[in-house]
Amino acid sequence: PARRVSVRGTAIVRSAAPTPFPASPARSKAFMPGVLGERYESLGGACTYFGKPHAAHFQACLRKLGLDRRRVAHVGDSLRHDVAGANAAGIDSVFVTGGIHREDLGAGRNEIPSRARLQGLFEKMGQWPTHVVPLLHF
């Protein structure tokens, strides 16, 4: 049987967004960090948000590296986490279309989707990156 735990006066730090989202182009859903924090809040606990897409996460990285935000671009394949976080922190973003949004965009791993598809997804998600690439090769 489940036990209730008192959460009064206790705070936890929670990273990232609490909701499940497509974690891969295969459309499988995964609970990302933060689900525990969401439950904790529902019990009356307090959480401090940190990590993508929160601007404080990006600002802390810039401070740690000693870089000016105008000289940095955040690279990622998630509009919800990577691009949203970069936008919130005032950092340029490089959106990788061959990642988790690939099927939404109707393009192959190494293809730039049509301008109409990109625009439609950016409008749907409410996030606009500053740059777009099909894939990142090291």
Side-chain angles (χ1 to χ4, degrees):
R3 293 185 316 182
R4 289 207 171 236
V5 177
S6 174
V7 296
R8 283 187 213 126
T10 306
I12 63 173
V13 175
R14 167 178 138 164
S15 67
T19 53
F21 71 99
S24 71
R27 311 306 273 162
S28 63
K29 299 233 180 205
F31 282 97
M32 300 309 288
V35 174
L36 178 62
E38 184 176 65
R39 175 70 175 132
Y40 190 70
E41 285 179 321
S42 76
L43 295 171
C47 292
T48 300
Y49 296 87
F50 194 78
K52 296 184 296 184
H54 305 289
H57 165 77
F58 290 83
Q59 293 160 350
C61 292
L62 292 173
R63 277 193 309 277
K64 179 98 173 157
L65 295 170
L67 296 172
D68 183 300
R69 67 175 175 78
R70 294 170 295 188
R71 297 185 47 109
V72 172
H74 180 77
V75 179
D77 70 340
S78 172
L79 289 169
R80 183 184 313 258
H81 297 103
D82 298 307
V83 174
N87 287 344
I91 296 171
D92 283 354
S93 59
V94 180
F95 174 57
V96 181
T97 63
I100 65 168
H101 294 291
R102 184 176 72 223
E103 288 183 5
D104 297 326
L105 293 167
R109 283 185 65 93
N110 204 22
E111 299 173 358
I112 291 281
S114 72
R115 183 177 297 271
R117 284 278 185 123
L118 287 168
Q119 200 63 26
L121 182 61
F122 299 159
E123 287 177 14
K124 175 183 171 188
M125 300 296 290
Q127 298 296 330
W128 288 264
T130 50
H131 308 282
V132 175
V133 297
L135 204 55
L136 191 61
H137 296 279
F138 290 93

